[in-house]
Amino acid sequence: NAGVTQTPKFQVLKTGQSMTLQCAQDMNHNSMYWYRQDPGMGLRLIYYSASEGTTDKGEVPNGYNVSRLNKREFSLRLESAAPSQTSVYFCASSEPQVGNTEAFFGQGTRLTVV
Amino acid sequence: AQSVTQLDSQVPVFEEAPVELRCNYSSSVSVYLFWYVQYPNQGLQLLLKYLSGSTLVKGINGFEAEFNKSQTSFHLRKPSVHISDTAEYFCAVSYFSGGYNKLIFGAGTRLAVHP
């Protein structure tokens, strides 16, 4: 049971380069999320998709775009990478319902922008 | 607005000693409470959750947490830690709004277990 799969696991970019982080889940969840993790700041929400066909900004969306390709896949794009985007990125999914709101996380993508 | 405060950024402890990781939250709506654990170079794994019912919640690996509504706290405890418990622990609150589950994390507490 794969759960949430992220690719790549590691990436080094030069300032100004672009890249797309891929995320896929096999749990048939409607909601998907992208977080970034920085030391001492916990996880901060970049974008989320409440359901297929919808996306919305989270707490720190600047410099990012997302695409909810289908119910399984939710990608995060950096159009012009900056050193401030050096971070660990996590994708997560959950089923939007009252009462059981557990989120499932991928293994993370460690991105360094030089 | 909802927020989560983890009162200790780092907690050093000796093996087999008890440990408590503190978490306070602020919320104007009903929330559900979670503790996640992150082992080095891995993703987040659910440790335990409080949705309703008994305020003492038991999780994996011998951890437990107690929900205290009056003090808006959800502290995590383990009576005897192992070296393998060395990890970062995140407290989180979740609530359902606008068609999706909003999940807000604390800054994390790094637990370092020493022999």
Side-chain angles (χ1 to χ4, degrees), chain A residues 1-43:
Chain A
N1 188 0
V4 179
T5 303
Q6 290 182 236
T7 56
K9 288 186 170 51
F10 301 94
Q11 184 71 50
V12 179
L13 289 179
K14 293 182 179 179
T15 297
Q17 286 185 317
S18 63
M19 79 160 296
T20 299
L21 282 63
Q22 306 287 351
C23 175
Q25 52 95 7
D26 63 3
M27 294 171 284
N28 204 35
H29 286 164
N30 279 294
S31 296
M32 297 185 73
Y33 313 80
W34 276 105
Y35 288 89
R36 60 177 288 172
Q37 181 183 20
D38 302 291
M41 304 188 75
L43 278 75

Side-chain angles (χ1 to χ4, degrees), chain B:
Chain B
Q2 283 60 245
S3 66
V4 178
T5 302
Q6 291 184 242
L7 297 161
D8 307 291
S9 59
Q10 296 186 63
V11 174
V13 64
F14 287 109
E15 194 172 19
E16 298 183 5
V19 70
E20 179 180 79
L21 307 183
R22 298 179 293 167
C23 173
N24 286 98
Y25 69 94
S26 172
S27 177
S28 56
V29 300
S30 295
V31 296
Y32 305 101
L33 298 157
F34 300 80
W35 276 98
Y36 284 85
V37 59
Q38 183 182 31
Y39 298 105
N41 299 315
Q42 294 193 22
L44 276 72
Q45 177 184 355
L46 182 67
L47 202 55
L48 49 79
K49 60 185 175 184
Y50 173 78
L51 303 179
S52 64
S54 173
T55 57
L56 184 63
V57 181
K58 293 189 184 299
I60 61 171
N61 300 338
F63 283 92
E64 63 181 31
E66 186 160 18
F67 171 58
N68 188 318
K69 188 173 183 179
S70 62
Q71 297 186 8
T72 60
S73 67
F74 190 54
H75 300 333
L76 180 70
R77 302 185 182 100
K78 186 169 182 178
S80 176
V81 294
H82 300 137
I83 295 287
S84 59
D85 292 323
T86 294
E88 189 151 19
Y89 292 79
F90 293 94
C91 182
V93 298
S94 174
Y95 58 101
F96 186 73
S97 174
Y100 82 105
N101 300 327
K102 300 192 177 187
L103 189 61
I104 298 173
F105 288 88
T109 297
R110 191 170 297 275
L111 176 65
V113 181
H114 301 284

Side-chain angles (χ1 to χ4, degrees), chain A residues 11-21 63-64 76-83 85-86 89 111-114:
Chain A
Q11 184 71 50
V12 179
L13 289 179
K14 293 182 179 179
T15 297
Q17 286 185 317
S18 63
M19 79 160 296
T20 299
L21 282 63
Y64 306 95
L76 178 72
R77 182 161 178 84
L78 287 70
E79 291 290 353
S80 179
Q85 295 178 303
T86 293
Y89 292 85
L111 175 67
T112 302
V113 183
V114 298

Side-chain angles (χ1 to χ4, degrees), chain A residues 54-70:
Chain A
T54 69
T55 61
D56 284 288
K57 295 178 180 179
E59 184 184 353
V60 288
N62 291 344
Y64 306 95
N65 285 300
V66 290
S67 295
R68 184 73 183 268
L69 304 170
N70 47 56

Side-chain angles (χ1 to χ4, degrees), chain A residues 39-55:
Chain A
M41 304 188 75
L43 278 75
R44 293 180 292 169
L45 184 64
I46 305 171
Y47 270 92
Y48 66 95
S49 171
S51 61
E52 186 179 357
T54 69
T55 61

